[in-house]
Amino acid sequence: ADKTIKLWRSGQCYKTLPGHTDAVRGLALLPALGMFVSTGNDGTLRTWSYDGDMNQMVQAHEHFVYAVATNHSTNEIFTVSEDRTLKVWRAEDLSSQQSIPHPAIIWSVAVAPSGDVITGCSDNIARVWTKAPERVGAARLMELYQGRMSSATMSAKAIDGGIPADKIEDPSSLQLPPKAGQSQKFVREDSGAVGVYSWSAADASGNGKWQKIGDVVQPPDEAHGGGGGVGLGVQQMGDDGVLYDHIYPVEIDGHPPMKLCYNQHDNAYGVAERFVLANNLGVHLMEQIVQFIMQNTPDIGTAGSASNPYTTAASGTMAAMGNNPFGPAPNAVSSQPLAQVGSSLGSNPYGFSSILDQPTAQCGSGPPAPATATAAAVANTTPRKHFPKTDPVLFRLEGAVLAKMKAKILEMAQVGEEGTALRETDHGHIESMFKVLCDTSWYHSSAVDDYAIGTLLHGLAWPRDKVFAWIDTSRALLLHPDGATKLLRTPDLIPKMLALGAIDGEAHVNVNLTLKFLANLFATAPGQNLLSESHQLIGLILEYVAAASQFPKPALRLAAATVLLNTAALYHRSPTLGAGWTPQLTAHATTALLLYTSPAETEEVAYRAIVASGTLAISGVEVFGVQDGALVQNLASHADSSSQKVKEVVYEIDNCTG
């Protein structure tokens, strides 16, 4: 990320190579030529001697180059980019040999021993490209590829920041080779549509040609004065494979380019929340994102598209939730409720409040319906829309929270209170661990150092009234696959965490953080496997959740209900957990569900607990048939809830159970 390449020998850096103007993303060797190549966010491809002298440089792509690979036998270089193309280069002079369009962003590229090239894309498909006629795919496979390419209509702004009239060329231009540095062009076709073409410098006959990769289409509202906010409008497939009415490129300092996907009748606030969660942005940007959507989208005033569900449901305030152990926060949002989770969210122990510290996925969808909604309206909803729940709801931390967390650990260690000392090497391990945790885009491949885990365990041995930041660090680590694997190897870790969060009145803040830790246990395969294979741990967790019900704070109760929800989701999809489930666990689960579904419970807490009960019931756990049907009575008390989604899930459960 520092825009440099460093050469190392025997563990020592002996040379730093400047040149790239943005983060360097890929390196690959060319042994036969005594060179290596580099690519990065500046879109360039560079070749270097082993001594560190730059030989050549070419602007390979208009957008980020995500990866590079080389064929040592043919001295070919392969680059892949945000612009959805795989490009082939001759290493000797960096001349472009071929450009192969893809229907999705290409994240990775590799060369097989056979010489075939493999690309990995954002549509979750790996594609293999070959020069060998005997390995070419069947006609049906080629048809499938062409079909995906045809459906991938391109966004004018995403390609070239808008299409000025003088950039749209005549069809005769397709007979001409590209200009220097040109890889794409827009052509006004006979039908009137604007086609997007990519240059491929080598086809089967050895000649170059322009290959069509999609169309830029007029939005349906343009005749009425709408323009999608970007000149020529689009109907485009997002990186998730879903078609959207509008896809806006977004650039924010300190973040890679992002795409804001929006459908005409979506709730703008819901879209903004999902966007900030998915990209680890600050909650302070939500209103700005909403305003951007409303200003750039035609006919945004359609029903339901711009109401704010996050400022109408909650009645409490951040300030009402008690003392903040991290001290005052000048920039805290302390007077407005941020999310629809009941009377208030509760305080954040790191000195500011953020919706990003809420679970990253809401169980339901959309804002609550008006209180006048009728039972008939509920009855007309799609059956079983809300359960069974299959995926966990997690508590993530944005980068700013992680920074505060690290600072608090170091601050408490510096104060030098009894039992909070750090060892000499701990500072470096803390730095490396938080660096890994902050870089979420590399969670799939990054590793947490074993020594960092040792430092974390040392921190968890601090006095209970000083250990809260270490509990939260453990919670964050459970979201990292390698970190979770290494942390969960610790003997008796779960009982130790429950002891740190003991409900004895001595460390109230630990209880909420321990519940969030328990919710995140379900995030990765190591945690799910641990819980599936240990019914004793499930019992301890259910007992802890039940005991935590004595606390009235909505944020804590929301975390507890989330643990119940995740337990039910795991049971539903885990044969191992279901096989060893006992009547005692059913009793523990029912007791906990009763405590979070009472008539006085806040709507989001009740909703998650009700979804959990329905998920367990439909999976075969008799939560409605024990304790004289007390849970049925609790659910019945929510049948006339002011929340549409609570009404719906109660109706669905009643419909299933009769």
Side-chain angles (χ1 to χ4, degrees), residues 87-135:
K87 292 190 177 183
V88 186
W89 309 85
R90 189 167 65 187
E92 290 82 356
D93 57 4
L94 289 188
S95 60
S96 176
Q97 302 299 297
Q98 191 173 5
S99 179
I100 303 174
H102 285 57
I105 291 173
I106 315 171
W107 293 110
S108 58
V109 62
V111 178
S114 64
D116 293 349
V117 179
I118 306 102
T119 54
C121 301
S122 61
D123 58 2
N124 297 322
I125 295 177
R127 296 175 171 86
V128 182
W129 307 89
T130 186
K131 294 180 180 179
E134 67 274 12
R135 291 200 295 273

Side-chain angles (χ1 to χ4, degrees), residues 4 117 142 323 580 588 636:
T4 67
V117 179
M142 299 304 294
N323 296 328
H588 287 322

Side-chain angles (χ1 to χ4, degrees), residues 47 76 86 155 185 298 353 360 374 404 452 468 471 482 497 530 532 590 607:
T47 59
E76 290 173 309
L86 161 68
S155 163
K185 69 165 57 184
S353 299
T360 59
T374 64
K404 286 274 186 179
F468 55 86
I471 298 175
D482 182 69
M497 299 301 289
L530 175 68
S532 295
T590 305
Y607 175 75

Side-chain angles (χ1 to χ4, degrees), residues 4 70 72-73 105 162 180 186-187 192 217 369 489 499 539 575 601 640:
T4 67
T70 55
H72 296 175
S73 300
I105 291 173
F186 302 98
V187 175
V217 299
R489 290 174 184 160
E601 192 59 79
D640 294 322

